[in-house]
Amino acid sequence: MRKQQTFSIFTGILRRDLKLAVRAPSQWINPLLFFLIAVSLFPLGVGPEQNMLREIAPGVIWVAALLAAMLAQDSLFRADFEDGSLEQMLISSRPMSMIIMAKVLAHWLVTGLPLIVLSPVLSILMGLSLVGWWALLLTLLLGTPILSLLGAVGAALVVSVKRGGVLLSLLVLPLCIPVLIFATAVVQTAGVGLAIEGQVSLLGALLALSVTLSPIAIAGALRVTGGAA
Amino acid sequence: MSFELKSGELLQIDGANGSGKTTLLRTVCGLVPADEGNVYWCNRPIQQNRQGYFSQLAFVGHKHGIKDELTAAENLEIDQILAANPSSVSVREALGRLGIGECRHQLCRELSAGQRQRVALARLLVSIAHFWVLDEPLTALDQEAQRTVCDLVGQHIAAGGMVLLTSHQKLDWSGQAHRIIKLGNA
């Protein structure tokens, strides 16, 4: 019974957030467009030299993904904070970590997943090889959930700060450096035909770590900041 | 200040604007920490008994906790999911009792302030919570709705519940055990 209730809160909040995303699409479409435009500026700025583009592609795509994730992250708890829904979640006796995981998953589905779907287009734009694209896909699949979870910790901390977007980036971007390093290394290593299992495993470990630990941090942060009037 | 609330009691907090009514209610709900002192539920500080306290608490605050992009019914369904003990009252019935049954499939963005307040108050009906905390529950409501809310509060008290509310209005709690605390200016 208890398990069933926990599951129902997870699916209930997930459905609610997805419904809200569908009805107010600007919050996730804008960061996505930013991602597309930011990456497509590089061939224009750097020049169409394929070798050069291929070399910088992993870094460019990943940095753009990181910035797009930061843009989207600010909205994760803010709307709920402003209309009082967050209060209702905080005073619910249901497990806060389940509510948070559902919210972060919904957020990743509308902001992280589209980045992955767009990655083939960007790979062509940046002249990545097929192997490079596969590696990119893999890193995005493992890396963007980490960005969502780390970003959620920051979003929870600054939820009561008006215009906290920049502060959020300052807090969270340094934490994302390991993800950026390993993810770009995977794509570069794959590009020269070497084994990538090691770095991919490290990304997987980072994901496991953030999935297990960040809900605790997010819940703690929300209990401190989310109740502020 | 110090006060105690028992089953079947109603406490009304009155006071001028800015006297701290809302802050007091939010402190009681555990949303903001008290500068000094503590809030106890069943003789235990609420921080040590979060689960037990929150499972018995229903709060309707200034911020209604209603999503504009969801319909009235969808909003209440979320409240039902968040409630520790969902009551047997259906979403439709709860909205009907507050007189907005016909608006249940309308987006809350399209509802008036009073109607939104009623959606928030309908939350009290979809969960079985012992302790109701209501911040200005009657503002924006027409007279008939005010009557309905007072009746609901009265029934809750009569059934052994507890209510803590703020209101500027002189309310008629005909026969119900109630106390009024007046907060001074800050």
Side-chain angles (χ1 to χ4, degrees):
Chain A
M1 182 65 189
R2 201 166 176 82
K3 236 183 208 165
Q4 204 179 356
Q5 277 190 344
T6 309
F7 190 66
S8 79
I9 184 102
F10 184 82
T11 50
I13 298 288
L14 183 67
R15 255 209 318 270
R16 161 196 186 265
D17 276 23
L18 289 178
K19 221 181 268 178
L20 286 170
V22 170
R23 291 183 193 170
S26 68
Q27 281 187 340
W28 56 275
I29 286 184
N30 291 351
L32 202 60
L33 287 176
F34 167 84
F35 176 62
L36 255 185
I37 292 171
V39 174
S40 52
L41 286 179
F42 277 84
L44 301 176
V46 178
E49 169 54 68
Q50 280 292 320
N51 283 335
M52 162 83 109
L53 283 177
R54 190 172 305 140
E55 208 150 293
I56 59 168
V60 166
I61 295 176
W62 254 97
V63 169
L66 200 58
L67 296 177
M70 285 310 109
L71 275 182
Q73 210 56 248
D74 191 41
S75 61
L76 177 56
F77 297 114
R78 189 167 301 279
D80 283 346
F81 172 74
E82 280 167 0
D83 64 26
S85 309
L86 189 59
E87 285 175 0
Q88 294 299 329
M89 293 174 189
L90 284 171
I91 61 165
S92 164
S93 61
R94 296 307 189 82
M96 194 63 192
S97 54
M98 273 296 138
I99 299 177
I100 287 166
M101 286 309 274
K103 283 192 71 66
V104 175
L105 177 61
H107 197 260
W108 179 78
L109 285 175
V110 292
T111 60
L113 199 58
L115 300 186
I116 298 169
V117 175
L118 281 180
S119 69
V121 183
L122 299 176
S123 301
I124 296 169
L125 203 68
M126 298 297 286
L128 269 181
S129 62
L130 192 65
V131 182
W133 172 64
W134 266 115
L136 179 71
L137 194 72
L138 197 61
T139 58
L140 284 174
L141 209 56
L142 287 170
T144 47
I146 307 179
L147 300 186
S148 288
L149 288 160
L150 286 177
V153 178
L157 283 170
V158 301
V159 71
S160 59
V161 180
K162 281 213 162 63
R163 299 183 201 289
V166 179
L167 186 60
L168 170 70
S169 305
L170 293 178
L171 276 174
V172 176
L173 282 177
L175 298 176
C176 298
I177 292 172
V179 182
L180 184 68
I181 291 173
F182 288 123
T184 50
V186 169
V187 186
Q188 271 160 354
T189 316
V192 293
L194 294 173
I196 53 170
E197 284 82 1
Q199 286 124 323
V200 171
S201 308
L202 275 169
L203 269 182
L206 283 177
L207 177 60
L209 203 66
S210 39
V211 166
T212 44
L213 293 184
S214 61
I216 303 169
I218 298 166
L222 284 177
R223 291 220 184 278
V224 175
T225 56
Chain B
M1 74 179 301
S2 173
F3 61 84
E4 194 183 351
L5 209 57
K6 292 195 180 93
S7 281
E9 274 188 351
L10 180 146
L11 181 61
Q12 182 181 345
I13 309 284
D14 195 359
N17 296 129
S19 57
K21 300 187 294 293
T22 296
T23 310
L24 176 66
L25 257 55
R26 297 175 64 80
T27 310
V28 168
C29 288
L31 285 168
V32 283
D35 288 340
E36 273 175 47
N38 226 325
V39 182
Y40 293 85
W41 175 256
C42 299
N43 297 321
R44 280 174 68 192
I46 54 171
Q47 291 84 356
Q48 292 168 20
N49 187 18
R50 240 187 250 279
Q51 196 79 9
Y53 180 53
F54 289 156
S55 66
Q56 293 299 329
L57 175 71
F59 174 53
V60 179
H62 264 298
K63 296 195 238 172
H64 290 154
I66 288 174
K67 299 304 282 185
D68 281 349
E69 284 81 21
L70 295 182
T71 65
E74 285 167 342
N75 267 302
L76 267 198
E77 278 160 19
I78 295 299
D79 289 322
Q80 228 169 9
I81 291 172
L82 286 173
N85 316 303
S87 72
S88 55
V89 178
S90 69
V91 164
R92 187 183 179 155
E93 206 181 327
L95 290 170
R97 275 175 70 182
L98 279 143
I100 42 166
E102 71 283 2
C103 309
R104 67 181 184 279
H105 296 309
Q106 230 171 312
L107 289 183
C108 283
R109 182 174 358 114
E110 297 158 0
L111 300 181
S112 74
Q115 286 172 319
R116 292 161 59 90
Q117 173 98 350
R118 293 188 204 200
V119 176
L121 287 163
R123 179 181 304 144
L124 301 171
L125 296 173
V126 295
S127 76
I128 304 172
H130 196 63
F131 183 29
W132 290 2
V133 179
L134 314 174
D135 196 359
E136 300 281 358
L138 304 180
T139 43
L141 293 186
D142 59 36
Q143 282 202 327
E144 195 191 321
Q146 289 188 3
R147 198 63 265 148
T148 312
V149 174
C150 288
D151 287 348
L152 280 179
V153 169
Q155 284 162 16
H156 185 62
I157 296 294
M162 291 154 55
V163 179
L164 174 65
L165 60 80
T166 61
S167 184
H168 292 294
Q169 285 152 337
K170 268 222 163 343
L171 299 170
D172 172 27
W173 298 115
S174 44
Q176 306 294 353
H178 75 281
R179 280 177 290 155
I180 297 178
I181 292 183
K182 224 176 162 72
L183 293 183
N185 278 326

